[in-house]
Amino acid sequence: MNPGWLTLLLSLTLAPSAAQQQPYDVLIVGGRLLDGSGNPWIGADVGIRGGRIAAVGRLAGSPAAQTLDAAGLYVAPGFIDVHSHAGPGLESAELSHARPLLAQGVTTVFVNPDGGGPVDLEAQRERLLEHGLGVNAALLAPHGSIRRQVVGMEKRAPSGEELARMRQLVEQAMQAGAFGLSSGLFYAPGNFAETDELVELARVAAAHRGVYTSHIRDEADYGAGVVAAVQEVIEISRRAGLPGVVTHIKALGPNVWGASAQIVQRIERAREEGVEVFADQYPYPASATGLSAALVPRWAEEGGRQAMLERLADPGERLLQEMAENLARRGGAGRIGIRFFEPDRSLEGLTLEEVARQRGQEPLRTALMLIREGSVGIVSYNMNEEDVRRLMAQPWVMTSSDGGLVPLGRGVPHPRNYGTFPRKIRLYVREQGTVDLAHAIRSMTSLPAAVFGLDGRGWLRPGAVADVVVFDLERFRDRATFTQPHQLSEGVVHLLLNGRIAVRDGEFTGELAGRVLRRDRP
């Protein structure tokens, strides 16, 4: 019998005596409870006291300071986003409330993914708490930022002294409560690191029971290819002795559509051999990145942005050819949408093909000019739905957004910022049946909690922290689209964060009950 199911049965048996002891702070009654284990829902009430779940069972009529009606609704652990770019937004007074996340049922986000983010996590913790925090935030140690600080933007192996310094910075981050090491091997300077360097730094994280999570070196066929890049995560996980996560897993571009089958085989084989390998995924067929990251080869980025701009000002045949190949990998200019462009916001929402037509240029020349003129964020429509569904169905795949918090009306961001979690349930559970509801909830709750060591979260059982979402399955949906992304999701009726009510009857209460979590503390 599943241990979570056994715990729940015991709690149901013991619930009446617990209910007689003292009043609950909050009592959620009449709901269909999905405990996070992957088991089907059962009818049960949830009693909360002191920020934790005190009892699960038949508790209706028990004394409580506040009672929330969940009749006809689903009650689940708060959702955990294991790959989020919300960190900078959460640090701001404008977005610290995290309402676009709460509206999706998200109660915890992991920040500093892809090897990016600040090196000093203690300072980041202070900034996150400065204006109050609408969700829980868990921090990762960013390999790319650490490498940039020590080695710069040079494409070479670190010296012995530099590697020791990088190890020291990872150690400091882990001691500051980081949950593991993140890398972005597709981007510079992470791309300049060899596997051995990553193994050495991952071993520091492993000593603190951390995790290694990676935007892999190649999600398409830029170089070694997506399957070999997944294998690198497996190798690092095996050699460093810690769980490895292939983050926002995908097969990017027509050239590698169908490669999901090989990816699944590689990960299954590694797991059979005893290597802890997992993945996370967002439920969309389009990715988002910078135009330069998508098209400019990494050798052209060596030395930093100014050096890259000088190369782009007078591109040689090699640079133009490789950029043309990278554009083709993503399906051409018609599959690349401009999500933000600081110098000229009128271009936001257009495709690169449309901008090129406006300017009377070839798309590649237009891309060169846009990169030189300013910062260009793109949405890239590059995935095949069959790959999305095959990967989603795997029991070792968690849910993530790869999204952030963007000021209302700024640009045309990827809709995953606003809709990831309800979209997965609406589209892939209710409409397509790719996975069932209990599977989807597990991928958002107990699985990420187990992988990352979030003690006391991700489950609905006595003793767990009271991060709880109550949603209406019929109304739980994403409203954000690729053309109109700035729209909150619908269907969250109640939401509790650390036992405090952040959403009641579909309305935000204004509670800022979030915490900056630590790997070394409950």
Side-chain angles (χ1 to χ4, degrees):
M1 179 178 286
N2 186 298
W5 191 246
L6 178 59
T7 301
L8 186 56
L9 288 176
L10 289 173
S11 69
L12 289 171
T13 303
L14 298 174
S17 61
Q20 296 168 7
Q21 291 178 3
Q22 54 182 302
Y24 298 111
D25 300 327
V26 180
L27 184 60
I28 304 171
V29 297
R32 300 177 178 183
L33 187 140
L34 288 156
D35 69 352
S37 67
N39 289 319
W41 69 267
I42 64 168
D45 310 318
V46 180
I48 295 164
R49 187 184 302 117
R52 292 185 175 266
I53 296 173
V56 176
R58 306 299 183 184
L59 308 176
S62 300
Q66 301 183 77
T67 298
L68 301 177
D69 184 7
L73 307 176
Y74 287 81
V75 183
F79 302 150
I80 300 167
D81 185 349
V82 297
H83 184 119
S84 172
H85 293 274
L90 291 173
E91 292 178 9
S92 71
E94 181 181 6
L95 293 168
S96 63
H97 55 67
R99 290 183 177 180
L101 304 178
L102 299 177
Q104 299 180 59
V106 172
T107 54
T108 299
V109 294
F110 279 79
V111 299
N112 305 338
D114 298 334
V119 174
D120 186 343
L121 299 194
E122 290 291 3
Q124 183 183 27
R125 180 185 304 274
E126 293 178 7
R127 292 193 300 272
L128 285 166
L129 295 173
E130 181 178 356
H131 304 290
L133 197 53
V135 293
N136 299 313
L139 313 183
L140 297 168
H143 165 260
S145 300
I146 290 170
R147 191 179 215 276
R148 184 191 296 265
Q149 180 168 310
V150 176
V151 183
M153 290 293 288
E154 299 180 38
K155 187 178 181 180
R156 62 173 176 82
S159 67
E161 182 178 344
E162 288 170 333
L163 183 58
R165 176 58 180 155
M166 291 169 70
R167 287 177 56 89
Q168 182 183 36
L169 290 174
V170 176
E171 175 68 24
Q172 289 175 2
M174 297 306 297
Q175 289 184 4
F179 283 76
L181 177 71
S182 82
S183 73
L185 305 186
F186 177 68
Y187 303 108
N191 183 261
F192 302 152
E194 298 293 337
T195 302
D196 287 349
E197 173 186 320
L198 296 157
V199 170
E200 284 301 308
L201 299 180
R203 283 173 174 157
V204 179
H208 294 266
R209 299 180 297 118
V211 172
Y212 172 71
T213 176
S214 180
H215 180 142
I216 56 178
R217 203 174 293 273
D218 191 351
E219 295 177 325
D221 62 341
Y222 282 86
V226 61
V227 176
V230 168
Q231 188 63 41
E232 184 179 29
V233 175
I234 294 170
E235 180 182 352
I236 292 168
S237 178
R238 177 186 289 114
R239 290 173 57 188
L242 81 175
V245 179
V246 181
T247 199
H248 49 56
I249 194 168
K250 64 175 72 72
L252 187 154
N255 293 355
V256 295
W257 284 352
S260 59
Q262 293 174 270
I263 293 170
V264 170
Q265 289 173 357
R266 289 293 181 102
I267 293 179
E268 289 285 0
R269 186 183 310 147
R271 292 186 59 79
E272 289 171 2
E273 294 169 355
V275 184
E276 284 190 82
V277 186
F278 302 89
D280 63 69
Q281 177 196 43
Y282 50 80
Y284 292 89
S287 61
T289 188
L291 186 60
S292 60
L295 301 186
V296 178
R298 292 300 162 261
W299 61 263
E301 294 188 89
E302 186 175 1
R305 178 170 174 80
Q306 188 56 44
M308 178 189 73
L309 292 178
E310 291 172 4
R311 295 183 181 104
L312 296 183
D314 185 22
E317 182 178 347
R318 177 190 175 192
L319 181 54
L320 289 174
Q321 180 178 342
E322 291 190 24
M323 288 185 67
E325 291 171 354
N326 291 342
L327 181 59
R329 283 187 175 94
R330 290 179 176 265
R335 285 181 172 267
I336 293 180
I338 308 300
R339 57 189 175 96
F340 68 82
F341 182 52
E342 296 297 346
D344 185 358
R345 296 194 59 188
S346 70
L347 303 185
E348 294 171 352
L350 300 178
T351 66
L352 178 60
E353 185 175 70
E354 290 169 334
V355 175
R357 190 179 302 121
Q358 283 185 5
R359 296 190 174 195
Q361 299 172 321
E362 291 296 318
L364 190 56
R365 287 292 179 182
T366 300
L368 282 166
M369 291 185 65
L370 293 177
I371 293 169
R372 291 176 59 195
E373 289 171 13
S375 177
V376 194
I378 65 167
V379 170
S380 178
Y381 302 89
N382 52 44
M383 283 173 265
N384 179 279
E385 278 288 348
E386 184 178 343
D387 289 319
V388 173
R389 290 192 293 268
R390 178 182 289 119
L391 293 167
M392 185 179 293
Q394 305 310 312
W396 33 262
V397 172
M398 301 171 280
T399 304
S400 66
S401 73
D402 196 15
L405 287 171
V406 181
L408 188 64
R410 180 181 182 273
V412 186
H414 197 298
R416 64 194 183 190
N417 291 19
Y418 290 89
T420 291
F421 290 80
R423 174 183 170 88
K424 182 169 182 175
I425 289 174
R426 174 191 63 80
L427 180 60
Y428 291 100
V429 173
R430 295 187 62 214
E431 296 180 12
Q432 296 188 7
T434 302
V435 295
D436 65 26
L437 181 59
H439 177 112
I441 296 297
R442 173 182 168 272
S443 78
M444 303 172 178
T445 58
S446 69
L447 180 59
V451 171
F452 284 87
L454 275 175
D455 293 337
R457 299 178 194 270
W459 297 83
L460 291 184
R461 58 188 180 193
V465 176
D467 291 344
V468 185
V469 59
V470 181
F471 62 95
D472 184 337
L473 184 60
E474 298 295 321
R475 294 193 301 111
F476 195 42
R477 68 184 184 99
D478 52 314
R479 298 175 60 239
T481 66
F482 284 101
T483 55
Q484 295 183 310
H486 291 287
Q487 301 186 78
L488 295 180
S489 292
E490 295 178 340
V492 170
V493 180
H494 310 300
L495 185 140
L496 286 83
L497 189 68
N498 297 308
R500 292 161 62 183
I501 301 174
V503 177
R504 185 206 306 269
D505 296 323
E507 301 292 333
F508 300 110
T509 65
E511 283 277 7
L512 296 176
R515 302 172 184 168
V516 180
L517 308 180
R518 298 182 64 105
R519 181 66 175 84
D520 51 356
R521 296 178 191 171

